[in-house]
Amino acid sequence: MSISLLACIHCKKDAEAAFDSELKKLVEASLKEEGCIAYELYQYKDEPTRYVIEEEWADEDALSRHMEAAHYKYFVHISPALLETPADVKILTRLV
């Protein structure tokens, strides 16, 4: 059964352009990973500094490999300088 991840992210107001660019690079690289079923990026319509990433992976091993990927580690390394608050990340299990 697949595993999903939901990340709610709030970047600093003056970092929107840089953060947006880095997020799009992360999504593009992640979609090419083996085991990635979906990797979707959303931005709040009325709050452009707030984003949601919705991911779906084939299994926990695929998610673990993603978290070891160079592009993911790079994003985790640079994102604290761009974030207003730490990301709120939840691992989800589909019920139906």
Side-chain angles (χ1 to χ4, degrees):
M1 180 173 285
S2 68
I3 188 163
S4 296
L5 183 144
L6 186 67
C8 297
I9 309 166
H10 184 193
C11 78
K12 294 177 181 176
K13 188 161 183 66
D14 61 345
E16 292 170 54
F19 193 68
D20 189 72
S21 175
E22 293 301 331
L23 272 175
K24 288 176 180 174
K25 290 179 198 174
L26 174 67
V27 171
E28 183 179 321
S30 298
L31 284 168
K32 296 176 183 174
E33 289 182 58
E34 182 179 341
C36 181
I37 297 169
Y39 208 101
E40 299 181 15
L41 174 62
Y42 301 93
Q43 186 176 38
Y44 283 35
K45 185 176 181 178
D46 57 345
E47 291 183 67
T49 59
R50 293 189 181 268
Y51 299 83
V52 174
I53 297 175
E54 184 178 6
E55 308 172 26
E56 185 176 5
W57 297 90
D59 52 33
E60 287 191 41
D61 288 340
L63 177 58
S64 293
R65 285 190 305 272
H66 167 64
M67 292 181 172
E68 292 300 317
H71 59 271
Y72 177 81
K73 286 185 171 188
Y74 173 77
F75 182 79
V76 169
H77 175 73
I78 63 148
S79 63
L82 303 170
L83 293 177
E84 187 69 39
T85 58
D88 180 20
V89 179
K90 303 292 185 214
I91 305 292
L92 308 170
T93 303
R94 184 183 302 271
L95 297 178
V96 291

